[in-house]
Amino acid sequence: MPLPSEPQTPPLPYTPDYPIRTERLDLRPVTQDDFAAIHAYQRRPEVCRYLYWGPLDEAGSRASVTTKTTRTTLRESGDILQLAVVVRDGGTSHALEAMGDGVLVGDVTLVWSSREHRQGGIGYVFHPDHAGHGYATEASRALLRLGFEELQLHRIQAELDGRNTASARLLERLGMRREGHLRENEFLDGEWADEVIYAMLAREWRAQQHPAPRQ
């Protein structure tokens, strides 16, 4: 009996059909016009506390935004998508309602780690003023859907500082599994830090989207 064929990745280069839409959000390419909104959170120490960069001054954020504007298409293993997360319909925040639709609240990253092994990774950074509305979870779930359903990835992982319990809870809400805890493997901000790895397999994603009926 022949073995089932493995799903095929889409033809390259691959550019998603932008914007990637969720119930409340648009994930779209970053533009230079996004500088002020992105710098507003990249400059904040509490945002960068568990990251490998920052806080950034204006020059650092301008360089960051310029790099992000180029990350819209996948051509080979190691390529990255970095997308602005924009609240499309005002959301539930009174602050957003005051500012109107189209407010950039963060950015997300999808790394195409290996085409051969169908591996990927996700990351996210959001403005803390818009926390508590589920935007990061909603946007990250859209990345998982893109990775598993469009790119036909077999496994997607996320790495985080072991002290970042808020990020760990987000990944657990997505249904990702805690796979590893590396003790003091990174020296950050003058101290040794742990790294934690979460991951999900394609079959786990499918089971989550189509749960088996209860008996």
Side-chain angles (χ1 to χ4, degrees), residues 109-114 117-124 140-159 171 174-179 197-205:
T109 300
L110 175 71
V111 181
W112 196 27
S113 309
S114 171
H117 302 292
R118 302 196 348 253
Q119 304 287 303
I122 61 169
Y124 39 81
S140 298
R141 186 172 288 115
L143 289 187
L144 292 177
R145 180 173 292 107
L146 176 67
F148 287 127
E149 298 182 10
E150 299 297 325
L151 295 173
Q152 298 296 323
L153 296 178
H154 176 68
R155 180 178 178 276
I156 296 176
Q157 76 174 39
E159 307 94 24
L171 297 171
L174 292 172
M176 299 184 78
R177 178 181 7 87
R178 186 178 175 121
E179 284 196 343
I197 299 171
Y198 280 81
M200 179 182 283
L201 299 175
R203 62 178 175 269
E204 294 169 330
W205 169 260

Side-chain angles (χ1 to χ4, degrees), residues 185-200:
N185 72 316
E186 300 171 316
F187 193 72
L188 300 173
D189 297 326
E191 61 181 314
W192 288 105
D194 297 357
E195 183 178 26
V196 174
I197 299 171
Y198 280 81
M200 179 182 283

